[in-house]
């Protein structure tokens, strides 16, 4: 029997966090290659530190001249990302930072397995959904993301000129009978200009936005507030701490409320099952919950490099299932082709839709008109109901 009364914590980081900046650059490079060719191969890694961004990894296009031209665009892409995020610091400025590009052609040994429609790598991927929020996401991570997204909107609009791009949030929620009812603590560290010198000044700026985001009644007199608990936070971003693609995989997914297979998402084209199969697993778990087959669903799928068919599918409904987990496993296999090609086609993943995923979570987002966040649709509900 799972616990019903407890406190659970999740964190998020803003688009200006050093690791998220690197995720953004890697996904922007991916989008650029997919714009050039829908079957482009990309595995792009980014490193950022004071005054410098380093991009490397493997890429592939069918046209070698186009590949050379795309490599030459990388510096422009990097500067555009940094400018959009908002970095104009003395030691990390979009216009003066140094960009080093070490992208190279994809390994022929990796390519040969993918070209047979096999998985781009071995691995295990997890999807999760629950009824804690309208988005069928765990509440602590969903609201941690929402707080930072709202503050970024206020900063970029010019309404809050004191705020700077780098930020982290953390929410601890108290659960009663398995449902979130109260915020026991709020942690927010937000980079700021020199004018704001203490935590109280920053709290006065951010508190109204936090209260706007959180459900009514969740903040109580007992809620602990920790806003910029170290005091001053002026030096931020890659100038304050180095960043690297793929270091925020728990922030990207379920905030620790569900298992993670270990693979990062950003910078990887959809032949890489680290990304595409994790999206498919979320899609299936969300549709299982939306169909009323369970209140919580964890779904695992596994692959071998160069092999198309998944090696295993596992479902756990945590004691909330309306039908047996085995029946759900059979149903998801009947309703969706989980080969790498099948996933790409079902979710239409060969499009330039990835830079927007790099911050504020890959899951719990609204499906978009151009196909972004297609894995958040609940269009498989009727098929799943029929299959079970």
């Amino acid at each position: 029997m799972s616990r019903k009364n407890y406190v659970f914590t999740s964190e998020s980081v803003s688009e200006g966090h050093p690791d998220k900046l690197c995720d953004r650059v890697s996904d922007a490079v991916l989008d650029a290659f997919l714009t050039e060719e829908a079957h482009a191969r990309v595995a792009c890694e980014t490193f950022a530190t004071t005054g410098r961004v380093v991009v490397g990894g493997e890429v592939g296009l069918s046209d070698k001249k186009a590949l050379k031209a795309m490599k030459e665009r990388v510096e422009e892409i990097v500067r555009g990302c940094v400018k959009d995020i908002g970095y104009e610091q003395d030691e990390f400025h979009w216009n003066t930072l140094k960009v080093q590009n070490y992208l190279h052609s994809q390994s022929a040994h990796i390519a040969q397995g993918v070209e047979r429609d096999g998985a781009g790598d071995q691995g295990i991927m997890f999807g999760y959904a629950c009824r804690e929020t309208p988005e069928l996401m765990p509440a602590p991570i969903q609201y941690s993301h929402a707080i930072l997204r709202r503050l970024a909107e206020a900063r970029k609009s010019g309404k809050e000129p004191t705020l700077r791009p780098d930020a982290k949030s953390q929410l601890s929620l108290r659960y009663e009978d398995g449902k979130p009812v109260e915020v026991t603590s709020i942690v927010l560290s937000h980079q700021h200009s020199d004018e704001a010198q203490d935590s109280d000044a920053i709290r006065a700026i951010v508190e109204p936005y936090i209260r706007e985001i959180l459900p009514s009644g969740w903040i109580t007199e007992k809620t602990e507030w920790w806003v910029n608990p170290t005091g001053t936070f002026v030096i931020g971003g890659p100038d304050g701490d180095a960043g690297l693609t793929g270091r925020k995989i728990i922030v990207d997914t379920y905030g620790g409320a569900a298992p993670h297979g270990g693979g990062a998402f950003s910078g990887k084209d959809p032949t890489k099952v680290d990304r595409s199969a994790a999206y498919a697993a979320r899609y299936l778990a969300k549709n299982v919950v939306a169909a009323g087959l369970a209140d919580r669903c964890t779904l695992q799928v596994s692959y071998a490099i160069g092999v198309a068919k998944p090696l295993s599918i596992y479902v756990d409904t945590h004691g909330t299932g309306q039908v047996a987990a085995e029946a759900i496993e059979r149903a998801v296999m009947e309703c969706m082709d989980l080969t790498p090609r099948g996933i790409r086609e079902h979710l239409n993943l060969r499009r330039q839709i990835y830079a927007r995923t790099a911050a504020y979570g890959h899951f719990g987002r609204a499906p978009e008109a151009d196909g972004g966040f297609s894995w958040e649709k609940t269009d498989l509900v009727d098929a799943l109901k029929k299959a079970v």
Side-chain angles (χ1 to χ4, degrees):
M1 180 69 70
S2 60
R3 292 180 64 187
K4 296 292 185 180
N5 303 310
Y6 55 91
V7 174
F8 193 82
T9 303
S10 294
E11 70 157 348
S12 179
V13 297
S14 73
E15 63 199 72
H17 184 280
D19 296 330
K20 283 286 120 192
L21 181 145
C22 291
D23 286 345
R24 170 72 175 274
V25 169
S26 293
D27 275 335
V29 170
L30 170 60
D31 279 351
F33 273 81
L34 290 175
T35 301
E36 181 68 27
E37 183 180 310
H39 293 272
R41 301 283 167 73
V42 178
C44 176
E45 310 293 344
T46 303
F47 168 73
T49 186
T50 302
R52 188 180 301 263
V53 174
V54 182
V55 179
E58 58 175 38
V59 292
L61 293 173
S62 58
D63 186 331
K64 291 185 178 180
K65 289 184 179 179
L67 179 60
K68 183 176 184 294
M70 286 300 302
K71 288 180 180 178
E72 292 172 352
R73 283 191 54 202
V74 168
E75 181 170 339
E76 170 195 340
I77 292 168
V78 170
R79 295 190 190 280
C81 290
V82 176
K83 183 178 182 180
D84 182 68
I85 289 169
Y87 276 114
E88 296 185 342
Q89 298 171 192
D90 290 343
E91 299 298 326
F92 197 81
H93 193 295
W94 63 269
N95 195 37
T96 59
L97 62 83
K98 183 175 182 179
V99 179
Q100 294 173 263
N101 177 6
Y102 298 103
L103 291 173
H104 60 84
S105 297
Q106 184 184 42
S107 161
H109 293 166
I110 293 175
Q112 66 186 0
V114 177
E115 286 161 3
R116 294 194 299 265
D117 291 329
D121 202 353
Q122 71 176 47
I124 56 175
M125 298 83 204
F126 286 92
Y128 181 74
C130 62
R131 294 199 176 279
E132 292 179 19
T133 63
E135 297 82 6
L136 304 184
M137 282 286 288
I141 187 66
Q142 190 70 9
Y143 289 110
S144 292
H145 287 322
I147 287 168
L148 292 182
R149 190 183 304 119
R150 183 68 186 93
L151 289 170
E153 291 170 356
R155 172 178 63 86
K156 288 184 164 184
S157 72
K159 189 174 181 181
E160 301 296 348
T162 302
L163 301 181
R164 294 294 183 262
D166 197 356
K168 301 177 78 172
S169 66
Q170 183 172 287
L171 285 181
S172 298
L173 298 187
R174 183 172 65 84
Y175 286 70
E176 278 186 8
D177 196 26
K179 298 178 181 179
V181 296
E182 179 187 16
V183 179
T184 61
S185 67
I186 298 168
V187 183
L188 182 80
S189 294
H190 210 301
Q191 186 188 10
H192 56 83
S193 63
D194 288 322
E195 288 77 23
Q197 292 297 328
D198 58 36
S199 300
D200 290 338
I202 299 302
R203 176 171 173 176
I205 293 171
V206 302
E207 182 171 344
Y209 296 101
I210 294 173
R211 290 184 177 274
E212 172 190 325
I213 290 296
L214 294 174
S216 177
W218 279 21
I219 298 177
T220 70
E221 293 180 356
K222 297 180 181 179
T223 301
E224 295 182 348
W225 289 76
W226 301 98
V227 177
N228 283 19
T230 62
T232 303
F233 184 12
V234 174
I235 300 173
D239 185 31
D241 191 12
L244 192 66
T245 299
R247 281 205 300 204
K248 288 293 178 286
I249 59 176
I250 302 303
V251 170
D252 286 342
T253 54
Y254 308 103
H260 194 295
F265 299 157
S266 289
K268 297 177 180 177
D269 73 70
T271 67
K272 279 74 173 175
V273 285
D274 273 348
R275 182 170 219 160
S276 57
Y279 288 176
R282 161 63 179 172
Y283 173 68
L284 290 168
K286 184 175 184 180
N287 275 270
V288 165
V289 173
L293 303 180
D295 291 336
R296 291 173 61 199
C297 179
T298 299
L299 187 147
Q300 184 206 59
V301 62
S302 68
Y303 292 87
I305 188 168
V307 179
K309 184 181 177 182
L311 306 183
S312 65
I313 296 174
Y314 165 79
V315 167
D316 184 358
T317 57
H318 308 277
T320 70
Q322 300 302 306
V323 297
E326 294 84 355
I328 296 175
E329 290 167 356
R330 290 192 295 270
V332 299
M333 288 188 286
E334 180 180 326
C335 294
M336 185 176 182
D337 177 0
L338 285 170
T339 64
R341 176 190 286 272
I343 292 170
R344 294 194 299 271
E345 292 180 351
H346 190 109
L347 298 177
N348 204 358
L349 296 179
R350 289 196 178 278
R351 287 174 295 173
Q352 55 272 26
I353 56 173
Y354 295 105
R356 70 192 77 169
T357 70
Y360 314 119
H362 291 246
F363 308 132
R365 311 280 287 271
E368 297 177 347
D370 66 350
F373 303 101
S374 60
W375 49 93
E376 291 296 313
K377 292 182 178 180
T378 52
D379 55 358
L380 214 58
V381 164
D382 291 339
L384 285 170
K385 287 180 178 178
K386 182 178 179 181
V388 298

